[in-house]
Amino acid sequence: MTAQPRIQIFQVSTLYGAATLAAALDSGRFGAREDARRILLVSHNAEIPETALRLDAMTGYDRIVARFDETIDWNEAIHPHHPSSWAPRPEEVPLWQRVFRTAWGLADAPVELIVESIQVNPAKALAALFAESSVQLYADGLMSYGPTRGELPQSIACRVRRLLHLDLVPGLRPLLLAEYGVEPELVPDTAFRAVLAEIAEAAEGDPQVTAAVAAEPTALLLGQYLAALGILTADEEEELHIRMLRGAAAAGHTSVVFKPHPTAPARYSTALHEAAEESGVRLTVLDGPLLAETFYERCRPRLVVGCFSTAMLTASVYYDVPIARVGTDTVLERLKPYENSNRVPLTVVDHIVPDLESGEGPAVPGAAPETLTPLVRAVGHCMQPRLHPLLRDETAAYLTARQGDDDTARYFQRERLTELELPGGDGRRAGSRLRRSLARGGRS
């Protein structure tokens, strides 16, 4: 009797993540293609998936899909439930697994899961569904450098084999899943750059890209979706984009492109165009279904400006383009709760990328400075002290050595330090609430 072929299920929700997977596949990180049946499981995680840009509508998606044997839409599979909220009840797991094995033609073949964000659905739901399967993670951007969002069930944690990630900050080691002994593994730079070039090739003849390139821009402004996340108001986010434009103009750029985030709401007023006119800048908005990296390939700007977007580091690491940040100080003040998973990406960018409005010149950051790792580890401990208790003494020493340093203090909230009874907190207040929380296993 012939053995059932291995099934590899790759769960993905963004084109950037799909490109990371493609690079890992191309570099042999998942073995030879003929050794397994590869399924791309696409999840649309937007709050209202029906109104958001679908992954399969992104330019270059077809090139990525060619690496897989088939594609399955997770939203359709669990309809009418939302992928961010649905998970099987424990008592129903055997039934649901049989349902999906039958629907997807898996029979009784062994399944390997390759997922993003194991702490949340749909990855967590898949790990529960295929309870006997090994789990591998890949990191979609800068969040791998931060701690795990919360404690994983032991039934999942013991099955995680490795974390694949891009070398976006050379020399900085991910904290994600470190508490479980999961080893990070780099996706080769050359493989990822080749995939990005392949995606950009698919944009040949795209009218938006052609128009943007014809404008001969020298700077690219990256929008994020901070208002949608409740970090800024819509007006404040619009003002942030205006600050980016004015900063680029002050640096001597007369033609710029604004690239909204693919999942950001389609809300633009005339304010950005008015600011461009006032600054004597030619503005082109590139709001098609394109990765920012496609523009890097086609136009090679001399400056990329953003808040704390992963695409900023992609520009510097893979294209040697100088980058600058705007607005990170405001977001550091607003970001709540302290354990918000955006905190480490924000901290990293704030620490190593020049501030465009301060008069610093844009730069290619290069390898992580020696000050970055201890900062990230201290912030990571303060975010998730229960997951990283062994970092407490290191964090206390770090904070003690930097008492009175405003540049360091901005990364740590006084109230949080007080709760954790760490240097920089209010020493007059006891940390009894935290101790009680830790004693009963609650969230810090």
Side-chain angles (χ1 to χ4, degrees):
M1 188 178 195
T2 57
Q4 292 273 14
R6 284 186 305 140
I7 306 292
Q8 294 176 326
I9 298 178
F10 297 82
Q11 178 257 321
V12 67
S13 63
T14 69
L15 188 60
Y16 193 91
T20 303
L21 282 178
L25 287 166
D26 293 350
S27 56
R29 294 303 190 264
F30 293 102
R33 178 162 186 172
E34 60 270 17
D35 292 343
R37 175 183 163 199
R38 293 174 176 169
I39 297 174
L40 185 66
L41 186 66
V42 179
S43 174
H44 307 285
N45 299 340
E47 185 176 351
I48 307 176
E50 294 79 8
T51 64
L53 181 67
R54 291 175 58 91
L55 177 57
D56 55 12
M58 294 287 290
T59 300
Y61 171 81
D62 291 346
R63 305 291 183 98
I64 301 297
V65 170
R67 292 166 169 83
F68 300 88
D69 296 303
E70 60 191 287
T71 302
I72 294 174
D73 189 312
W74 179 243
N75 292 57
E76 290 182 3
I78 63 170
H79 181 79
H81 303 286
H82 192 284
S84 296
S85 58
W86 184 83
R89 296 172 182 170
E91 66 272 17
E92 295 176 347
V93 164
L95 174 61
W96 276 113
Q97 181 178 151
R98 181 53 54 193
V99 167
F100 287 118
R101 280 185 174 275
T102 301
W104 299 345
L106 307 183
D108 294 321
V111 170
E112 298 174 7
L113 295 174
I114 300 91
V115 300
E116 59 184 9
S117 303
I118 188 61
Q119 313 94 302
V120 296
N121 294 320
K124 196 172 182 179
L126 287 166
L129 277 171
F130 297 94
E132 71 288 351
S133 301
S134 64
V135 180
Q136 300 178 56
L137 266 75
Y138 68 95
D140 182 7
L142 293 170
M143 286 191 181
S144 65
Y145 296 114
T148 317
R149 294 187 194 182
E151 189 172 357
L152 293 178
Q154 184 58 29
S155 60
I156 293 179
C158 68
R159 292 151 50 202
V160 180
R161 300 289 180 260
R162 63 176 173 174
L163 167 67
L164 288 160
H165 72 104
L166 299 171
D167 201 14
L168 293 169
V169 188
L172 183 62
R173 184 181 175 86
L175 271 178
L176 182 63
L177 299 174
E179 67 273 24
Y180 300 108
V182 176
E183 285 296 316
E185 182 178 328
L186 289 173
V187 175
D189 290 350
T190 52
F192 187 62
R193 178 65 189 273
V195 172
L196 293 179
E198 187 179 343
I199 291 173
E201 186 180 338
E204 183 72 40
D206 182 283
Q208 273 212 340
V209 175
T210 300
V213 172
E216 299 183 347
T218 56
L220 176 69
L221 316 180
L222 293 167
Q224 286 185 246
Y225 53 105
L226 304 179
L229 294 176
I231 297 173
L232 300 178
T233 67
D235 288 341
E236 288 170 334
E237 185 164 33
E238 188 169 68
E239 179 60 28
L240 180 66
H241 298 154
I242 291 172
R243 289 167 59 188
M244 293 179 187
L245 185 141
R246 288 174 176 161
H253 297 272
T254 58
S255 181
V256 304
V257 166
F258 175 64
K259 177 72 179 72
H261 192 279
T263 61
R267 178 195 180 278
Y268 305 110
S269 73
T270 59
L272 191 60
H273 289 277
E274 290 174 353
E277 188 173 341
E278 292 171 2
S279 301
V281 170
R282 181 177 182 178
L283 173 66
T284 305
V285 177
L286 192 64
D287 59 357
L290 302 158
L291 284 180
E293 289 75 14
T294 296
F295 185 76
Y296 302 160
E297 284 278 352
R298 310 291 298 183
C299 198
R300 301 298 173 91
R302 296 202 301 268
L303 169 67
V304 171
V305 185
C307 187
F308 62 100
S309 170
T310 293
M312 297 168 65
L313 275 300
T314 311
S316 65
V317 171
Y318 296 103
Y319 297 91
D320 206 34
V321 175
I323 59 177
R325 59 180 169 86
V326 171
T328 52
D329 49 351
T330 301
V331 180
L332 277 169
E333 293 174 0
R334 299 284 187 85
L335 197 62
K336 294 180 181 179
Y338 191 84
E339 60 268 26
N340 188 303
S341 56
N342 286 298
R343 186 167 300 280
V344 164
L346 174 62
T347 297
V348 168
V349 171
D350 184 86
H351 190 70
I352 69 174
V353 178
D355 182 352
L356 187 64
E357 296 176 309
S358 70
E360 298 178 75
V364 177
E370 61 181 16
T371 54
L372 183 60
T373 292
L375 170 61
V376 168
R377 287 168 66 86
V379 170
H381 171 73
C382 292
M383 289 173 66
Q384 297 291 347
R386 290 184 61 248
L387 299 183
H388 296 280
L390 298 181
L391 293 183
R392 180 177 174 82
D393 290 346
E394 178 184 326
T395 300
Y398 176 85
L399 293 169
T400 298
R402 289 160 180 79
Q403 290 272 32
D405 180 358
D406 291 340
D407 284 341
T408 299
R410 62 206 300 268
Y411 301 115
F412 301 91
Q413 294 175 356
R414 185 176 181 86
E415 181 181 359
R416 188 67 161 188
L417 297 179
T418 300
E419 288 180 344
L420 298 176
E421 295 184 316
L422 285 169
D426 187 345
R428 296 170 298 179
R429 292 172 53 194
S432 58
R433 180 162 66 88
L434 175 68
R435 289 197 297 272
R436 289 196 301 270
S437 175
L438 297 181
R440 64 174 179 264
R443 195 178 78 174
S444 60

